[in-house]
Amino acid sequence: MKELVHPICHEWANRCNTHGILMIEKTACHAATTDTFDVVLLVIVDPQSEPMVLRQYSRNEKKAVLYAVSERQLNEWLVLGSHRKAVDWVFNGKVVFDRNGYVQQLRQRLEQFPPKERRLKMGLEFAKLIRRYTDGKALFAAKHWLDSYNHMVQALHHLARLTVIQHGLYPEVTVWNQVKRMDGRIYKLYEELVGSEEPLPKRLELLLLASEFLIHSYVESGSSHLCEALKEKNGAWSIEEMTGHPQFAPYSIDLVIMLEYLVERKVLTVVEMPTKGNTMFERYYRCKKEF
């Protein structure tokens, strides 16, 4: 393995824009995080560098994959959850190069999980949770049991990640190991859904009832970032304004269903604005509830 990895690390360590290099080897513990490769090399480069360089290498039947990412790209992976394995790489990878203690400082900052990033990450997971739960509930009502089951499994995953984030940690690939230590209720729901011998419709019915209560307990923390963003402007926002604003961009297609859910929960209020022809109204949103 050394013959494969050493030249690659040496090349990148000699570049002036390289801040640090982490190595993750495929073991029983890390098999799920290396995508079948024998080793993953995560190179963190200057924020002004191109977003990502991806390369693959092989030697003597050993395979390696290299991700050279800017700090900005890495933060996006961690906060937006667009590359979940990156959390394991950063926290559990072996440091093979660390210019001026950069990697150590990065880990310390991530361990502190800045409140602003935490609120955004909770908001995104909450929006995905609402999407999955709402679709799962509608499919259950239509008696599409297996499709409903698929959505509710995903809803529980988002609920699990919300729990981990609320405890001040980044969700890892093995998120259920984290949740088992933090909230036995959610872990029990997951066990009962995937392992119970009850008929599937009965399992789903019980899960939908229990999930509604748990989701309600996350309304305040899950909507905190969205409400803060809405309050940046005096008055109400149209959906067009929101989708064009960088604060709301991470919510993507889940923004609409989250807005409607929060209206139902009386967190947001709808303001109807007359259109040019005065024959209909356009819906605007503003934060109503103070947390």
Side-chain angles (χ1 to χ4, degrees), residues 120-246:
L120 171 57
K121 195 165 182 63
M122 287 203 71
L124 300 179
E125 289 294 346
F126 187 72
K128 291 181 175 68
L129 168 60
I130 298 306
R131 163 71 66 188
R132 289 294 191 172
Y133 173 77
T134 303
D135 289 351
K137 187 175 181 179
L139 289 164
F140 176 81
K143 298 184 179 181
H144 297 303
W145 312 127
L146 291 176
D147 293 302
S148 176
Y149 173 85
N150 176 55
H151 281 275
M152 292 310 299
V153 167
Q154 293 301 318
L156 283 176
H157 275 281
H158 293 302
L159 196 56
R161 285 192 278 270
L162 269 173
T163 300
V164 173
I165 298 166
Q166 194 165 60
H167 280 77
L169 300 174
Y170 285 84
E172 299 175 5
V173 173
T174 54
V175 68
W176 287 107
N177 282 337
Q178 292 177 289
V179 173
K180 190 175 183 179
R181 301 190 299 267
M182 297 173 184
D183 194 326
R185 298 173 303 167
I186 297 174
Y187 188 82
K188 185 68 173 176
L189 284 177
Y190 184 69
E191 278 192 322
E192 289 177 353
L193 177 62
V194 301
S196 172
E197 295 183 0
E198 289 274 2
L200 183 56
K202 186 64 175 178
R203 278 184 274 162
L204 289 169
E205 182 182 12
L206 294 172
L207 176 61
L208 284 163
L209 289 172
S211 297
E212 188 168 358
F213 172 78
L214 287 170
I215 292 170
H216 182 74
S217 69
Y218 280 103
V219 168
E220 179 177 342
S221 54
S223 62
S224 175
H225 172 266
L226 185 76
C227 284
E228 283 182 9
L230 288 172
K231 289 174 183 177
E232 288 184 1
K233 168 190 168 183
N234 290 326
W237 294 69
S238 70
I239 189 66
E240 183 179 13
E241 290 173 324
M242 280 187 267
T243 53
H245 194 283

Side-chain angles (χ1 to χ4, degrees), residues 83-98:
H83 199 313
R84 300 194 188 281
K85 295 178 181 181
V87 175
D88 294 83
W89 296 350
V90 171
F91 283 109
N92 302 318
K94 177 184 177 182
V95 180
V96 296
F97 176 73
D98 190 7

